[in-house]
Amino acid sequence: MKVGDLIKLGQGPISHFGLEFGIATLIEKLPRSDAYEYDWLVLADGRLIELGRQIEGSAEVLSESR
């Protein structure tokens, strides 16, 4: 996964954030100071939200950026 990719989120983030569609664009990697290394800033349903990098194991890439 990389910045600009369009992804379909799993049910966990959809429910937690009350998202209607569950489709998101990866905007930026946000650095962390622990073992998880980074989070993702995503645009979903017109909102910017932070998601842990764990989404990389559960989200489906719908369209890759160039």
Side-chain angles (χ1 to χ4, degrees):
M1 290 185 159
K2 60 188 177 300
V3 170
D5 286 358
L6 185 68
I7 62 171
K8 179 173 175 52
L9 298 169
Q11 192 57 46
I14 293 172
S15 296
H16 178 77
F17 289 101
L19 301 174
E20 184 175 351
F21 299 107
I23 304 298
T25 302
L26 301 175
I27 302 297
E28 180 181 5
K29 278 186 178 181
L30 303 172
R32 291 176 56 138
S33 60
D34 60 13
Y36 291 109
E37 300 175 31
Y38 59 88
D39 289 330
W40 279 105
L41 180 66
V42 305
L43 178 63
D45 289 357
R47 298 166 36 199
L48 288 172
I49 57 176
E50 285 186 36
L51 297 172
R53 75 173 206 176
Q54 297 87 337
I55 65 163
E56 294 175 1
S58 62
E60 174 186 353
V61 177
L62 300 175
S63 178
E64 292 185 17
S65 67
R66 293 182 178 220

